[in-house]
Amino acid sequence: MENSVDVLIESLLAATLRLEQEVSAKDSEPEVWLSLLDERENLILQAQKQELVSESLSESQRKKMEQIFEINQRLVPLINNRKQGVQQQLNNLQRSKLAMNTYNEAGPNGYGAFFDRKK
C-alpha cells in the first residue's frame, strides 16, 4: 500500500506542476487547464478512497503534499486574474457590439464616419 500512496502523491504533484506551467504561460488555453484540473480531481478522489491522513504519511510524502498545497496557493490568484481579464474582454466586446448596433440602426455612414441621427 505504501508504494501505491507514493505513486498517487507523485502523480498529484506532477499534475499540479503541469497545471502551474500551463497557468503561468501567457498563451495557454483554459481547456488545457480544465483537463489538468480533472486529472487532479481524479487523483484526489483516489487518495480519499485510500483514506490518506497526514498521520499515516511518511516525511517525504508530507513534504510533497505541502509542496502541492503551496503551488495551489500560488495558482488560485493567477487563475482568478486570468478569469477577470477574460471577463473584461467579454464586457468590452459586448459594449462594442452594442455601440455598433446602435449606430448601424441610426442610418448611413460614409468612409468610416458615423452620422449620428439620435439627437
Side-chain angles (χ1 to χ4, degrees), residues 52-117:
L52 292 182
V53 289
S54 61
E55 292 81 27
S56 67
L57 297 177
S58 69
E59 188 62 31
S60 66
Q61 292 170 338
R62 193 172 292 126
K63 285 183 180 181
K64 288 176 186 173
M65 293 298 285
E66 288 173 2
Q67 186 179 1
I68 291 167
F69 177 77
E70 290 170 4
I71 293 169
N72 286 342
Q73 297 295 28
R74 291 192 305 259
L75 285 177
V76 170
L78 288 174
I79 291 173
N80 285 336
N81 286 344
R82 188 81 175 266
K83 183 176 152 186
Q84 288 174 350
V86 169
Q87 186 62 48
Q88 185 65 37
Q89 287 176 340
L90 283 173
N91 291 344
N92 290 342
L93 183 63
Q94 286 175 336
R95 270 191 240 123
S96 297
K97 196 173 180 182
L98 181 63
M100 288 299 291
N101 287 342
T102 301
Y103 282 109
N104 283 339
E105 292 170 6
N109 60 20
Y111 303 105
F114 289 103
F115 298 103
D116 192 1
R117 293 186 180 183

Side-chain angles (χ1 to χ4, degrees), residues 20-29 33 82:
E20 182 180 33
Q21 287 177 341
E22 282 297 322
V23 171
S24 298
K26 290 186 179 184
D27 59 347
S28 66
E29 292 294 323
W33 303 1
R82 188 81 175 266

